[in-house]
Amino acid sequence: MIKAAIVVVGSEILRGVVQDTNSHWLASRLTELGFEVARIVVVPDDYESVEWAVRSSLEIADVVVTTGGLGFTEDDITVPAVARALGLELQLSQEAVEYIRRRVGGEPTYQLKAAYVPKGGKPLYNPAGVSPGVYLRICGKHVFMLPGVPIELKAVFENEVVQILETIPGRRHVKRVEVLTLHEKEAEVDHLLKPLREKFKNVYFKTHASKPVKLSIIVVASTQSELESLMGKVLEDLKQSIRVQSIEL
């Protein structure tokens, strides 16, 4: 699978002021879209940390998504830090200026900070806020810089990022299934799943310590027909291995 990495930027997260929900949501969506999330890292609002996170993530992934640090305050340094990490100059994007003008209903002033993008970058319209996201393709890899406000992150991702990701070749077909069992002990279910894990080595099985025990299954295949066939076989064997109360496809 094509690998992706998520870089969460925000000292407020590392200090426990704000809880990060963006990485969880992004990991779920990227998985659904056929990417393997290989890394999630949280870094503070400083240049060296963001530069390291972006450069090291690009070493292991073809898609890197950052979230946070796109606003107008002093600690919003994600875009210039990414530019510096990649050795690119910042340029004022007239397209971004127009985006911001439309959002603020007039000529931008301090908001112009969010109109600068790395050379070769493209602004991504933010229908839920002022600061646009940024997309950059460099050396065959894809870098997305997205807002940290969850509603803005989701809006930019769904309206702009998804259509770019869907053009990337080599993605896999993915299906996640939630199973509610009739078992009370997680260790028991985990033991009963051992033969399935050995038989379906590319299928992900994750038990949850709830009562009754819940189970998440992620199936990956090259084609939709292969996915449906494999899913059918997994669920058939699953029902013969454990006691199932319900399956949510």
Side-chain angles (χ1 to χ4, degrees):
M1 291 178 69
I2 300 176
K3 292 185 178 180
I6 299 168
V7 177
V8 182
V9 182
S11 298
E12 68 275 18
I13 294 169
L14 291 169
R15 293 172 180 170
V17 176
V18 174
Q19 183 177 7
D20 167 44
T21 59
N22 288 339
S23 62
H24 174 268
W25 186 86
L26 283 169
S28 177
R29 289 294 287 122
L30 287 166
T31 299
E32 290 171 359
L33 289 164
F35 297 90
E36 178 186 349
V37 179
R39 167 185 294 174
I40 298 175
V41 59
V42 183
V43 293
D45 302 297
D46 70 69
Y47 277 87
E48 288 186 0
S49 296
V50 177
E51 290 176 50
W52 165 80
V54 171
R55 282 197 299 262
S56 62
S57 294
L58 284 170
E59 291 177 358
I60 65 166
D62 295 301
V63 174
V64 175
V65 182
T66 75
T67 171
L70 300 191
F72 322 115
T73 59
E74 187 176 347
D75 61 353
D76 289 321
I77 52 94
T78 297
V79 174
V82 171
R84 208 162 83 173
L86 302 176
L88 300 172
E89 296 179 357
L90 283 178
Q91 295 182 337
L92 182 66
S93 165
Q94 291 303 319
E95 186 177 3
V97 172
E98 181 56 32
Y99 284 168
I100 295 170
R101 184 181 291 121
R102 288 159 55 189
R103 295 300 298 170
V104 302
E107 289 302 317
T109 53
Y110 64 89
Q111 299 99 335
L112 277 178
K113 177 180 179 181
Y116 285 85
V117 304
K119 185 177 181 180
K122 171 182 171 51
L124 302 172
Y125 182 56
N126 179 358
V130 177
S131 299
V134 180
Y135 167 59
L136 179 68
R137 185 168 185 183
I138 183 167
C139 299
K141 301 201 173 187
H142 307 263
V143 180
F144 298 90
M145 290 156 264
L146 305 182
V149 178
I151 191 173
E152 297 183 27
L153 166 82
K154 294 175 182 178
V156 177
F157 189 90
E158 297 296 353
N159 287 279
E160 296 272 17
V161 177
V162 169
Q163 60 184 326
I164 298 173
L165 293 177
E166 288 179 339
T167 67
I168 299 176
R171 294 182 301 116
R172 307 297 295 275
H173 293 260
V174 178
K175 180 68 176 180
R176 177 173 173 172
V177 179
E178 300 297 331
V179 179
L180 182 62
T181 78
L182 289 169
H183 298 265
E184 297 293 315
K185 296 181 180 180
E186 183 185 12
E188 178 187 11
V189 176
D190 187 68
H191 175 73
L192 293 171
L193 288 173
K194 185 176 180 180
L196 274 72
R197 288 194 173 104
E198 293 175 352
K199 180 177 180 179
F200 303 105
K201 296 187 181 298
N202 293 325
V203 176
Y204 178 73
F205 297 90
K206 174 59 183 175
T207 56
H208 303 282
S210 58
K211 291 189 177 183
V213 178
K214 294 181 180 179
L215 171 66
S216 296
I217 304 173
I218 298 178
V219 179
V220 181
S222 300
T223 66
Q224 185 62 34
S225 60
E226 180 184 333
L227 177 68
E228 294 173 0
S229 174
L230 179 57
M231 176 64 73
K233 294 174 183 176
V234 170
L235 294 181
E236 183 180 349
D237 283 17
L238 180 74
K239 293 174 183 177
Q240 295 177 6
S241 301
I242 66 174
R243 290 180 288 121
V244 173
Q245 182 176 160
S246 64
I247 297 176
E248 183 180 341
L249 297 172

